[in-house]
Each structure stands twice: as C-alpha cells, then as structure tokens.
Amino acid sequence: MGSAALDALARLDTDDLIDFGSEQFQTDPWPVYRELRRSDPVHWIAANRMFFVLRYEDVAHALTDDRLATDFPVRASRRIFGSTMLDADGAGHRALRQGFGTLFSAKAVGGYGAQLIAEAVEATLAPLADCTSVDFAQRVAARLPYEVTTRLLGVPPEDGPWLRDHVRAVARGLDFPGGPLAEAQAAESALCDYLQDAARRTTRTAGSAVPSLLDLLAQRAGAPGDPRFGGTAVLFLLAGTETSEAALCTMMLTLLSQPGPDEVVDWSDRDAVAAGIREALRWEPPTQSILRYATDDLTIRGVHIPRRSAVLLSLASANRDEEVFEEPDRWWPGRPARRSLTFGAGPHTCLGIHLAYAEFEALAAALGRRFTDIALDGPPPPLRGHGFRRPVRLDLRWRQRRRQGGPRS
C-alpha cells in the first residue's frame, strides 16, 4: 500500500477500519493493524461488539491473564465441539491437558517423529515424482498434515480426503466471520462417529514407537462414547490438519516470494531454512487472532473492559509491533531473536508446536533433496481468511533432482 493510501487510511474514523469479511481486509490487514497500534491499540469494534487488542505487550499479557477466559457458553467452538480443553480454564484445563507431553513434547517428537514424519512426507511427495509444476496448496499442503495426523490417530491415511472435507466444514464454522454453524455441527458429528469407531477397533502393534493419540484421548477425555472424547478427538484432528495446512501454504509462499530478485532459497542449508520458516510464521501467521471473554471488569492500556465482554487478541498485529520487532514489516530471517505469538502463549500455547516445526522442516529438507529451481509459477497469490489464512492456490514449478544409484528420498 502506497503512502497516499496510508494517509487516507489514517484520516478514517477508526470505527470504519475493521470489516473482517471485506476483500481489502482479508488480503491486506497490515495497514489497519499498523494504524490501530498507533492510534487505538485497544479498539472497540461496534459491528462485532468486541474489543480488539493489537499491541504485543497487551496481547502477551492477556494470554496469561486468568480474568480473560476461553470458557463461554455461546462461543462457536463450544457449540461445535462441546466441552473440550480449548474452552476450559484453570485447573480443569490443566487436568485435560496433562499427559499429552508423551506425544507432543520436544523430546517425544524427537523420538517417534522422525520416522512418522518421513513416512508422511514420502507419501505426500512420491506422487509428484514426474511433475514439473504443481498446485502446492492442494497437492502438498492439503495432504501432508493428514498423512501425519492419521498416523498419530492410527486410522487409514487413505481416509484423508473424506476427513478433510468434513474438517473444512468445521473450520468454516470457526473462522471469523464464521460459516454456517449447522453445517459445522453436522460435520463435527460425522467426525465424532468416525473417530469413536476408530478408537474402539484400532489396536497398536506392541512396542510401537508411535504413541497412540486415541489411547491418550481415552485416558484424558473419557472413553469412546463419552461426548468429551468425540469433541476432543475432532479438535485434535482440526488442530493437526487445518492450521498446519494454512501454515504450510503461507510458509512456502513467503519463502519463495520475499527474498530479493537475485536470491534463491538454499534448501540444503537446514539452519537457514529453519530460520526462514520461523520468520515466515511471524510475518504471516496462519491464525490471525484468538478470542477471550472477560470474567471480571479489567483495564487494558487505560481502556475499561466490562465483565462478559468479548476480547479479540490479535496475534498477527502483535507479531509486527514496532516496539518489539525491529522493522517489523520487513522479511528478515536473521532478525534478533524475539518470541513471536504465532502459537500463542500461556496455558493455551499450542500443544503441537514441536510437531508442527518438525513437520515443516522435514518437508523443506525433502523438497530440497528431490527438486531444484523451486519457484512460484506466476505472481504471488493473495492470502485470505482470518482464523485459517492461506492462498486458495499456490502454483509452483520445479525440476526433478536426479541422483545416481538408488531412489530419491
């Protein structure tokens, strides 16, 4: 956006700035975030009847403030999933979350993850062996998270397309603005039935290196048949697939579109690629905001927040806060270390953060081994969405990297 447009934006009444469904805001929310951080960092959105919090310090503090709760009866996630750890707070949330470290800690992922993710990446990339161009969004980003998550759940990976159709319907109900709630509830019910049946019939090989997510869910959220089991199982399926799919798209788009015209991503430099992935997720987080509800009156940056108010915390704006990140709108993989809020903070920090990074880095390494001259095939496509932000298509071109003796890995 040019300086004239920015000047016009600054002259607008702040009540006119936020329209989550508009094409302008969907594709380029950054000038709006920048202006609100400057002029109105705790902004009342009258149309949505909620407070919008945009500065890093305020968002980070709010994510750990027990007066801002996730538990609220009319919240879309509660109406879709029922009672799960997503909408629980305090001791109840800790009790539900406890025990999943055996599957999602850095140590656990480092143990079982290498083989599981390698198998998932191979299954995703093998069908592309003879392709020189591909819609990365559909052929890679939409498939890999299901190859990983179905293996964790112990269900057939070939069920991935059916699962994705239903997960996408649930995601539409959770996005902002949300899609049809009845459609999301029907899809969630079908997924519940599928996962409950899978939990009853699935058995793991004795001594399997991969922990059973369905077994852990039965221990932590009730046996199959308990409503908490089904809702929690669908929640884990959604978190492991839809968010990862969006992140893979934004990560690849950013890695290929942001370096200078004479720069090429060195896919063999694992440290550089890992730094690029982390910067991509700061620069374009797939989930823009997180919703909370005030359980008591409180004040944020001098603004009174009445009890029971909805408070939307902007992770995306916080990740580009000028007070925390030097030149925040600049793509800079080598920037001084600062923790982004892409995966949240506090008690509800994303459980799958270590698995997600392992998945992204393994895919990047495999792409580098298989292909060369990886590039966008056309101009960078726009991103859309607020809860699950991604391009609709992401066309890439590449050349196969042939090796002497033995198959590609």
Side-chain angles (χ1 to χ4, degrees), residues 193-227:
D193 291 343
Y194 172 91
L195 292 169
Q196 306 242 37
D197 289 344
R200 294 186 183 103
R201 69 174 183 265
T202 298
T203 57
R204 294 274 176 163
T205 304
S208 172
V210 181
S212 168
L213 177 52
L214 288 177
D215 286 350
L216 279 175
L217 288 170
Q219 296 167 21
R220 308 308 309 173
D226 187 318

Side-chain angles (χ1 to χ4, degrees), residues 340-364:
S340 79
L341 296 180
T342 296
F343 290 95
H348 284 271
T349 299
C350 177
L351 259 175
I353 183 171
H354 302 296
L355 182 62
Y357 276 127
E359 183 179 326
F360 303 160
E361 291 175 15
L363 174 63

